[in-house]
Amino acid sequence: MLFFTQCFGAVLDLIHLRFQHYKAKRVFSAAGQLVCVVNPTHSLKYAPTLCAAVQTSTEQGILPPCHHHEAVHDPQLVPCMCPLFSCPWEGHLEVVVSHLRQTHHINILQGAEIVFLATDMHLPAPTDWIIMHSCLGHQFLLVLRKQEKYEGHPQFFATMMLIGTPTQADNFTYRLELNRNQRRLKWEATPRSVLECVDSVISDGDCLVLNTSLAQLFSDNGSLAIGIAITTSKVHNSEAEM
């Protein structure tokens, strides 16, 4: 009976979760946007010893070291860009996408405008939601991270990284938008290159930053919907016309 009760409870939770996803998809699909449901993943980079080291360095005003900035023997090789793992992989920039999909099983979604639906926002930090976005002939990496920048005060950080060089990244503009209950919040910026460290971007706060109270205002039953739009920058357009 105990086994049956547990199984029955799990089935009810699954039905409820699928209903919430269906409801969100129906709403956003009506707006002509493609919805991608992204489940959370606990980052394996942040072992307890590493968390303690990061906290100590933050208190001393020193940023934690970033493994993406470590020396690479071959200048044509780049380290793994996945922020979830301390992955020892190195390779050419052209094969980063295939590595992320095959090794880390990160999904890729196509379309000029999509909705990033992150589930289970209540999970403890650190937690990451990651997806690749393909549009305008390039691939982008969207990272949403729940992290305690200060002990006991978790925050949400969302940023868009171009899987390309910094020069290529300057040609684009991305927009992240939260819209719920007659409230709207937008963040617009130039994407950073994955050759830069996503940890440094989050530490610098050069991204969309939400505290827990603000995230709850825009969440629905523990899920946070972020509208994503990527366009070419005005500078790039004017240069093309010339």
Side-chain angles (χ1 to χ4, degrees):
M1 289 296 295
L2 179 60
F3 175 76
F4 174 78
T5 303
Q6 291 176 343
C7 290
F8 184 71
V11 170
L12 289 179
D13 291 340
L14 180 60
I15 293 175
H16 176 73
L17 184 61
R18 289 179 64 88
F19 174 75
Q20 295 299 329
H21 290 178
Y22 168 76
K23 185 171 65 174
K25 287 184 177 182
R26 183 180 60 184
V27 172
F28 287 109
S29 296
Q33 292 178 305
L34 183 62
V35 178
C36 180
V37 179
V38 184
N39 295 319
T41 304
H42 285 286
S43 177
L44 299 181
K45 277 178 58 179
Y46 298 95
T49 54
L50 179 58
C51 290
V54 171
Q55 180 180 348
T56 302
S57 61
T58 303
E59 293 174 353
Q60 296 176 352
I62 304 174
L63 292 176
C66 176
H67 76 282
H68 289 176
H69 289 169
E70 295 175 358
V72 179
H73 299 291
D74 188 341
Q76 295 182 345
L77 298 180
V78 295
C80 175
M81 306 304 169
C82 184
L84 290 176
F85 310 96
S86 295
C87 178
W89 179 88
E90 291 181 348
H92 293 278
L93 192 60
E94 294 79 9
V95 295
V96 169
V97 173
S98 60
H99 168 74
L100 293 176
R101 297 195 65 182
Q102 296 174 10
T103 303
H104 301 299
H105 308 290
I106 297 179
N107 295 325
I108 186 169
L109 197 65
Q110 297 185 358
E113 295 186 8
I114 65 174
V115 174
F116 180 93
L117 184 62
T119 66
D120 300 326
M121 303 294 294
H122 61 278
L123 291 178
T127 305
D128 292 274
W129 295 260
I130 299 177
I131 196 173
M132 284 190 290
H133 182 193
S134 177
C135 70
L136 301 176
H138 289 78
Q139 284 74 40
F140 301 82
L141 190 69
L142 177 67
V143 179
L144 173 64
R145 175 174 297 170
K146 184 178 183 179
Q147 180 176 314
E148 289 190 356
K149 196 167 186 180
Y150 305 101
E151 185 177 2
H153 299 280
Q155 293 179 305
F156 294 89
F157 303 86
T159 186
M160 182 74 75
M161 313 285 287
L162 172 70
I163 303 180
T165 65
T167 302
Q168 292 174 323
D170 289 338
N171 295 327
F172 299 96
T173 299
Y174 76 94
R175 185 180 74 248
L176 305 179
E177 181 175 338
L178 305 176
N179 190 354
R180 185 174 181 271
N181 292 337
Q182 299 181 347
R183 299 180 180 89
R184 179 173 295 180
L185 179 64
K186 290 184 180 180
W187 167 268
E188 187 171 295
T190 299
R192 304 282 284 271
S193 168
V194 292
L195 297 178
E196 304 177 59
C197 180
V198 66
D199 295 333
S200 297
V201 176
I202 291 177
S203 298
D204 295 340
D206 186 16
C207 55
L208 175 64
V209 182
L210 304 172
N211 58 32
T212 304
S213 300
L214 192 57
Q216 290 177 349
L217 287 177
F218 289 98
S219 64
D220 183 15
N221 292 321
S223 297
L224 184 67
I226 304 177
I228 307 170
I230 301 177
T231 58
T232 55
S233 63
K234 295 181 180 179
V235 175
H236 180 66
N237 289 334
S238 60
E239 289 178 352
E241 293 176 358
M242 293 178 61

